[in-house]
Amino acid sequence: MDRKPVDYGQYSILVIEDQPFVRRTIMQILSQIGFRSIAEADNGETGMRECIRATPDVIVCDIDMKPVSGLQFLAELRASAEVRNRRTPVVFLTNHTESEIVKKAMALGVNGFVVKPPSFGALKERVDRLLAGK
């Protein structure tokens, strides 16, 4: 069963990553995939403000950030009364294979993981799966 191709141009995506080079690289990949609306934030705090300001369809978020980590961001997003969609799909970028962090992320409602640094194929495949449900 073939899925119809995703029209990425109709979706907005938010990248939350504290390392500028990594953030730019991810944004470049997303642009190559076909996203036209790509917002960025440098930590969970600015990411939360961006979620309140705009309503992204998907969020790609690093776990290890200061002062607000990806886990803290996800907990805040899922509990927020200010964002329009608390259930926005979140993909964590991680080099963590520690089961504790994975368990915490799953308990908070993460929608998937992509290993850092993400490849074009891995990021596209994960985002495709999330958008297929929209």
Side-chain angles (χ1 to χ4, degrees), residues 6 8 31 51 54 72-73 77 79 81 87 91 101 108 114 117 123:
V6 177
Y8 302 99
S31 179
C51 285
Q72 290 167 304
F73 163 79
L77 174 71
R87 306 301 319 151
V91 174
I101 289 173
L108 290 170
V114 174
L123 204 50

Side-chain angles (χ1 to χ4, degrees), residues 10-115:
Q10 70 176 326
Y11 296 107
S12 65
I13 195 160
L14 169 61
V15 178
I16 307 172
E17 164 63 62
D18 58 347
Q19 297 174 26
F21 175 78
V22 177
R23 191 169 63 242
R24 277 194 307 276
T25 303
I26 294 163
M27 291 173 72
Q28 246 174 343
I29 292 171
L30 293 169
S31 179
Q32 289 168 353
I33 289 172
F35 284 95
R36 289 194 292 270
S37 176
I38 306 169
E40 62 181 301
D42 59 3
N43 68 60
E45 187 180 351
T46 53
M48 197 64 209
R49 283 200 301 264
E50 187 60 29
C51 285
I52 292 166
R53 188 190 68 73
T55 305
D57 294 298
V58 179
I59 299 166
V60 176
C61 182
D62 188 21
I63 290 180
D64 265 334
M65 297 181 291
K66 300 237 182 307
V68 178
S69 74
L71 290 171
Q72 290 167 304
F73 163 79
L74 182 58
E76 202 176 312
L77 174 71
R78 296 295 188 236
S80 176
E82 292 181 86
V83 296
R84 283 188 285 273
N85 183 7
R86 295 188 308 211
R87 306 301 319 151
T88 300
V90 174
V91 174
F92 273 149
L93 298 166
T94 184
N95 33 26
H96 288 286
T97 47
E98 297 153 37
S99 61
E100 264 326 289
I101 289 173
V102 170
K103 278 185 204 151
K104 276 184 193 162
M106 299 298 273
L108 290 170
V110 74
N111 300 87
F113 296 90
V114 174
V115 176

